[in-house]
Amino acid sequence: MKLSVKLPVKLPARTAVALAALVVATACAPQTSGNSSSGKDEKTGTLRVWLFQEVNNGPKEKVVDAAVSTFKKAHKDTKVTIEYIPVETRAQRMKAAFNDPKSAPDVIEYGNTDTAGYVKDGGLADVTGEFADWSEAKDTDPTAKQSVTVDGKIYGAPFFVGVRALYYRTDILKDLGLEAPRTQAELISTAKKIRAADPDLYGLVVGGAYTYGAMPFIWSQGGEIAEGKGGSYAATIDSAAAQKGIKAYTSLFGADNCPAAKCAGMAGNDTVTAFSSGKAGMAIGGDFSHAAIEAGKIKGKYAVVPLPGVKPGSVAPAFAGGNNIGVLKSTSHRTLAVDLMEQLASKKTQSELFDAMGFLPTYTDVRDAVAKKQPFVAPFVKTLASGTRFVPASAAWSQIDVLPTMFQEVISGKKGVAAASKDAAKKMNDAFSSVG
């Protein structure tokens, strides 16, 4: 652990016992999980940081600038340069950085589904030791921690988490004498009742290319996408339980809810746009969709509840999306870079990012605090508390795009659920095998 000054946070800091232990540890040497590939750990100089460019980046920049300012007060001889890069081109930028350490940043923001691939490529530094010694890390949501973990080692700090729930039109359900659905069966029947009452509306708008909207149907039936096997993964998308979930989701594509001709090619953003523009009675959207829906035509006419599971009152497991902050293995400023990572991902910064951008914090205590400030967050916090899932921690995941094809084959009638899921499983296993 480092001997540098720890930065202030809004919520409780370490106890006196933990502080004493830190002093003992740092009296010997910096406690790190591994050395930088550069072989250097310079304590002064310039740190380069790459963060993702948002649609409206100003509020994010303000929060980041404040965090960097605090960091620089603790490190007088250190400069920090921030570059905001487009999310769409991140793969090319990161690959170039991993191949050319001299031009690479020291600290990066990255999507949590990218973790395993970046580790396999040798791009991210193992910060297991520092994470364990970081007092705030103990309050990290378990699923968020999983998103920075590969083979039991930590490769970054969770930055924010995103999760989906059920948005529904309060005015439409009231007019039809319906309540918010409490089970998956009620969800499907409610969707079809809305469509029957008004054929110009989608009941529940769904998308054949909306993987993260479909996964909760599979998980709620007890199915899994893949399971760990022999140091790799084996697809289980063709299991009996997973097939039940696929049948439930694909049953929503048709003239009685969301016509296949229009909905088979939709992705998540398409479904949110349809809902916000008043074309659907319900939609599966994220906490991160809230601002867009508020800016749409149905402001004041909707509510949000957790996506229901199979049993009454249960919550369908949701995919825990979000981003992380990591240190590149090639950095020549490892100690400083880890300190900056911790400041950018701190409780204080995450709380301010929520206020500025609506990003859900990855700390359970901070998340509870922001939920009290903003009631719209409550259904998403409940969803997270009910248990979320993550994608396989395999470098192959970024290569796997077979689930939309599987859904679309079923929706079009080209294949049955059993055949489509078996074909998808084979393609997934080929991808898992290709990366070892």
Side-chain angles (χ1 to χ4, degrees):
M1 189 66 179
K2 302 148 301 280
L3 195 56
S4 58
V5 177
K6 291 303 290 184
L7 302 164
V9 295
K10 287 182 178 178
L11 298 170
R14 72 189 68 202
T15 62
V17 173
L19 181 59
L22 173 64
V23 172
V24 171
T26 53
C28 301
Q31 187 173 346
T32 62
S33 305
N35 296 322
S36 163
S37 60
S38 70
K40 300 177 181 178
D41 189 12
E42 298 170 1
K43 302 302 189 293
T44 61
T46 300
L47 291 180
R48 297 182 61 207
V49 181
W50 285 358
L51 301 177
F52 289 155
Q53 177 87 33
E54 308 297 334
V55 176
N56 179 12
N57 209 54
K60 181 177 182 177
E61 289 180 30
K62 187 175 180 180
V63 173
V64 169
D65 288 348
V68 169
S69 177
T70 305
F71 170 81
K72 288 168 68 176
K73 287 177 183 177
H75 303 283
K76 302 293 186 183
D77 298 321
T78 302
K79 296 180 179 179
V80 178
T81 62
I82 308 287
E83 182 180 354
Y84 292 90
I85 67 173
V87 177
E88 296 78 12
T89 60
R90 73 187 189 279
Q92 302 94 300
R93 294 292 300 270
M94 295 303 180
K95 184 176 181 180
F98 297 162
N99 291 333
D100 183 14
K102 290 183 180 179
S103 64
D106 301 275
V107 178
I108 62 169
E109 177 180 357
Y110 65 94
N112 63 13
T113 58
D114 294 328
T115 307
Y118 289 175
V119 170
K120 183 176 185 296
D121 291 341
L124 293 174
D126 173 2
V127 295
T128 307
E130 293 94 335
F131 192 87
D133 288 338
W134 184 22
S135 64
E136 294 188 343
K138 71 183 187 312
D139 295 320
T140 300
D141 177 89
T143 306
K145 183 177 178 181
Q146 183 185 352
S147 80
V148 293
T149 305
V150 178
D151 295 333
K153 296 180 180 178
I154 306 292
Y155 291 91
F159 191 35
F160 66 86
V161 65
V163 70
R164 293 163 178 82
L166 180 69
Y167 286 78
Y168 68 93
R169 288 282 296 274
T170 51
D171 55 340
I172 292 175
L173 264 61
K174 182 179 179 181
D175 288 346
L176 295 177
L178 300 172
E179 300 287 338
R182 299 183 309 119
T183 66
Q184 192 175 97
E186 285 183 11
L187 173 67
I188 295 171
S189 65
T190 299
K192 295 182 179 182
K193 288 175 183 176
I194 293 171
R195 176 74 172 180
D198 187 347
D200 290 332
L201 287 175
Y202 302 123
L204 169 64
V205 60
V206 287
Y210 191 7
T211 300
Y212 297 123
M215 283 180 173
F217 289 80
I218 295 170
W219 288 326
S220 66
Q221 292 286 352
E224 296 289 347
I225 308 303
E227 294 181 346
K229 182 179 180 181
S232 182
Y233 284 85
T236 54
I237 192 66
D238 57 342
S239 70
Q243 287 185 24
K244 282 186 180 179
I246 297 168
K247 286 179 181 177
Y249 186 68
T250 54
S251 73
L252 289 160
F253 293 82
D256 59 354
N257 177 57
C258 203
K262 294 184 177 180
C263 303
M266 283 190 183
N269 286 346
D270 301 318
T271 65
V272 170
T273 299
F275 183 76
S276 65
S277 61
K279 296 178 181 178
M282 298 184 291
I284 300 168
D287 55 278
F288 42 83
S289 307
H290 181 257
I293 293 172
E294 277 287 287
K297 294 182 179 180
I298 60 170
K299 181 179 174 66
K301 298 179 181 179
Y302 72 91
V304 187
V305 293
L307 186 68
V310 175
K311 297 179 180 180
S314 67
V315 176
F319 166 70
N323 290 353
N324 302 325
I325 299 289
V327 172
L328 261 64
K329 194 173 183 180
S330 59
T331 182
S332 59
H333 300 86
R334 181 188 172 101
T335 299
L336 289 172
V338 172
D339 278 356
L340 181 55
M341 175 193 79
E342 292 180 1
Q343 176 59 19
L344 288 171
S346 69
K347 290 184 176 184
K348 180 177 186 295
T349 301
Q350 288 196 22
S351 179
E352 292 174 354
L353 269 177
F354 171 80
D355 291 339
M357 304 292 294
F359 294 165
L360 276 180
T362 64
Y363 302 99
T364 53
D365 55 344
V366 181
R367 200 155 60 219
D368 289 343
V370 301
K372 291 178 182 177
K373 291 194 296 183
Q374 294 287 357
F376 85 84
V377 174
F380 301 102
V381 172
K382 183 176 180 180
T383 298
L384 285 162
S386 298
T388 54
R389 304 291 177 86
F390 194 60
V391 298
S394 166
W397 182 254
S398 60
Q399 305 170 20
I400 293 174
D401 194 28
V402 302
L403 297 186
T405 300
M406 177 190 71
F407 292 127
Q408 289 160 357
E409 287 175 341
V410 176
I411 294 163
S412 67
K414 183 179 179 181
K415 293 179 182 176
V417 171
S421 62
K422 287 185 184 301
D423 288 348
K426 183 180 183 305
K427 291 174 183 176
M428 290 173 67
N429 285 331
D430 288 344
F432 290 137
S433 297
S434 72
V435 300

